[in-house]
Amino acid sequence: MNKTAQMNSGIFQINLEKTLKEIVTTKAIQSDENRFMIVPVDEKGKMLDGSDEMMKRLVLTKENISNKQLVLKEVVDVLGGLLPKSPIWINVSFLEMNGEKAIFKLETSLRFRKPTLLRNAETGHTPYKAII
């Protein structure tokens, strides 16, 4: 269980950057630019509260994010929309190179929780986990 007492857009972005560095270093990815595809994961049997439902229906919709390649700031703006609450977990994986751009997939929980309830504290960059 993560005992991080705070989460803001700066911490959220730094933690994503740390996760990227882990993947880029391990896979020896060389790119001038990183882009991200957000993939919301519907967790069977997990209850969504009112703010989770709002994010699911208004922000994390197919129209808003499906097949879109976002820059880092856009990811922070989208997934950090309820900060200090953030997705309880986000799995980050490398998809492909597209020219000079490295494309990463962000599989994200639709459950937004306060910092003390976030997963992946052991990674040092909660709520992110590098999938290598």
Side-chain angles (χ1 to χ4, degrees):
M1 188 62 74
N2 181 19
K3 296 300 175 205
T4 303
Q6 61 180 5
M7 180 62 70
N8 59 41
S9 60
I11 295 168
F12 195 69
Q13 178 170 327
I14 287 166
N15 287 354
L16 176 52
E17 290 168 349
K18 287 180 186 174
T19 310
L20 284 180
K21 186 173 185 189
E22 187 179 327
I23 295 169
V24 166
T25 303
T26 305
K27 293 189 171 275
I29 298 166
Q30 295 185 337
S31 67
D32 293 336
E33 217 178 311
N34 295 324
R35 292 294 170 105
F36 305 89
M37 298 180 76
I38 299 173
V39 180
V41 176
D42 204 2
E43 300 168 272
K44 299 291 177 234
K46 302 290 186 181
M47 296 295 294
L48 300 181
D49 66 19
S51 55
D52 299 341
E53 285 287 349
M54 180 195 73
M55 287 296 287
K56 179 180 177 179
R57 294 169 194 252
L58 299 177
V59 179
L60 298 172
T61 63
K62 279 190 173 44
E63 301 76 43
N64 264 0
I65 60 169
S66 237
N67 297 317
K68 287 194 179 159
Q69 295 179 4
L70 306 175
V71 296
L72 188 75
K73 182 177 180 344
E74 292 169 324
V75 169
V76 173
D77 289 346
V78 169
L79 292 179
L82 293 177
L83 286 169
K85 286 184 173 182
S86 76
I88 199 166
W89 58 263
I90 302 170
N91 289 337
V92 183
S93 57
F94 173 68
L95 272 180
E96 65 183 3
M97 288 299 296
N98 183 347
E100 297 295 312
K101 289 182 213 155
I103 313 296
F104 294 88
K105 178 169 67 171
L106 303 178
E107 291 177 298
T108 181
S109 171
L110 288 168
R111 295 178 295 142
F112 288 72
R113 299 295 179 262
K114 61 187 179 180
T116 53
L117 298 176
L118 301 180
R119 295 202 190 140
N120 301 318
E122 72 284 353
T123 65
H125 38 69
T126 190
Y128 302 99
K129 182 176 185 178
I131 306 299
I132 298 172

